[in-house]
Amino acid sequence: MQSRFIGQKSRLQFRPCHHRHISCSRPSLNQSPDEILSAFANLDHSRVKRAGFPEAVFGQGKTPTQMHLILESMANNVNEMVNAAYQSDGIVNSASTAIIATRVDKSVYDEILKIGPLKNGTMQYHDSARILSVRANALIDVNGNERTDLQFSTSQKSVVVACAGTTDLPVAEEAALTLSLSGIQVTRVYDCGVAGLHRILNALPKLRDPTVGCVLVCAGMDGALPSVVGGLVDVPVVAIPTSVGYGVSLGGISALLTMLNSCSPGVGAVNVDNGFGGAVWAMKCIR
């Protein structure tokens, strides 16, 4: 049996797979960038008109080449949008210019840089938030400064981003940067968890400032801070649970359950570590 099996095994031939796998396929030299991009992405450039915020890139799991092509296309779309606005009334929606890729590790960003600069914009990496942003060329003048002949429409309300502990900073910064890159004024209140309740009380002037339209609160562990803030302010509170904590914190589920069971009315929760989602929700609250 053994010798017969070995004999059969030796006759097996490995044949190349002809199915199309994007992760392994190499672009043809005859393909245009748009053709290569369409093989793995169908970008939703009109989302900002429907939902009020442009499509963002979830960088985790994407290759550097895919990221480069996607960001190039997004920057080109913003350039076309800005140029069209300039030809009409010169008013540009600030949120529509945001080009954001979240969950991008520094090593991936370094590989993207090796591919080369973007033709339609300039990339910038934000280490603490793991965000890669792009500023479209149409927003910059010939001297490399922000254009002064454009008017940007944005909300007059600001947003406070608070986090319970220093280890919650990556999620808080993802939220804060998403807001600021969209033209929203952000006030940061960090390391103000309930273990030292005086810290959040000392921040009340910032939380209750009349220009504030929403407060984002990031917390892990017991996730109690959003309920405390919700009882102190008269604006919506977006609770963002983080995956910070010991043992039965269960990767943020414990904090999420606390936030969902908040006894403070006006507190709503997003998914664990979803700083980006919390930021977009806040923008819709202050609109």
Side-chain angles (χ1 to χ4, degrees), residues 216-228:
L216 273 71
V217 185
C218 305
M221 299 287 189
D222 52 11
L225 186 60
S227 290
V228 174

Side-chain angles (χ1 to χ4, degrees), residues 256-276:
L256 173 61
L257 293 176
T258 298
M259 295 170 185
L260 291 174
N261 284 282
S262 174
C263 60
S264 296
V267 176
V270 297
N271 203 353
V272 177
D273 291 338
N274 190 8
F276 171 81

Side-chain angles (χ1 to χ4, degrees), residues 132-148:
L132 172 56
S133 65
V134 177
R135 196 66 173 162
N137 289 341
L139 300 170
I140 307 299
D141 64 21
V142 293
N143 296 317
N145 302 315
E146 293 288 324
R147 286 176 61 176
T148 58

Side-chain angles (χ1 to χ4, degrees), residues 208-223:
R208 291 175 173 173
D209 189 286
T211 65
V212 174
C214 185
V215 180
L216 273 71
V217 185
C218 305
M221 299 287 189
D222 52 11

Side-chain angles (χ1 to χ4, degrees), residues 87-245:
Q87 295 299 324
S88 57
D89 55 10
I91 300 177
V92 178
N93 180 355
S94 292
S96 68
T97 66
I99 304 174
I100 298 172
T102 64
R103 301 297 176 89
V104 180
D105 290 332
K106 181 62 165 57
S107 59
V108 175
Y109 172 63
D110 291 338
E111 291 300 315
I112 295 173
L113 286 180
K114 292 179 182 178
I115 296 173
L118 298 179
K119 296 179 180 178
N120 291 293
T122 302
M123 294 183 288
Q124 181 178 0
Y125 186 70
H126 309 269
D127 189 65
S128 59
R130 288 198 298 161
I131 280 179
L132 172 56
S133 65
V134 177
R135 196 66 173 162
N137 289 341
L139 300 170
I140 307 299
D141 64 21
V142 293
N143 296 317
N145 302 315
E146 293 288 324
R147 286 176 61 176
T148 58
D149 57 342
L150 296 172
Q151 292 182 319
F152 293 93
S153 63
T154 185
S155 172
Q156 298 301 311
K157 291 290 186 179
S158 63
V159 175
V160 173
V161 177
C163 74
T166 305
T167 46
D168 301 312
L169 275 176
V171 178
E173 277 299 295
E174 181 178 287
L177 274 167
T178 298
L179 290 164
S180 61
L181 290 169
S182 306
I184 307 297
Q185 181 180 345
V186 176
T187 300
R188 291 167 170 83
V189 179
Y190 289 170
D191 198 18
C192 56
V194 297
L197 201 55
H198 61 284
R199 295 178 296 185
I200 195 64
L201 296 177
N202 290 338
L204 279 179
K206 294 180 179 179
L207 296 171
R208 291 175 173 173
D209 189 286
T211 65
V212 174
C214 185
V215 180
L216 273 71
V217 185
C218 305
M221 299 287 189
D222 52 11
L225 186 60
S227 290
V228 174
V229 174
L232 297 172
V233 299
D234 62 357
V235 296
V237 173
V238 178
I240 307 176
T242 69
S243 53
V244 173

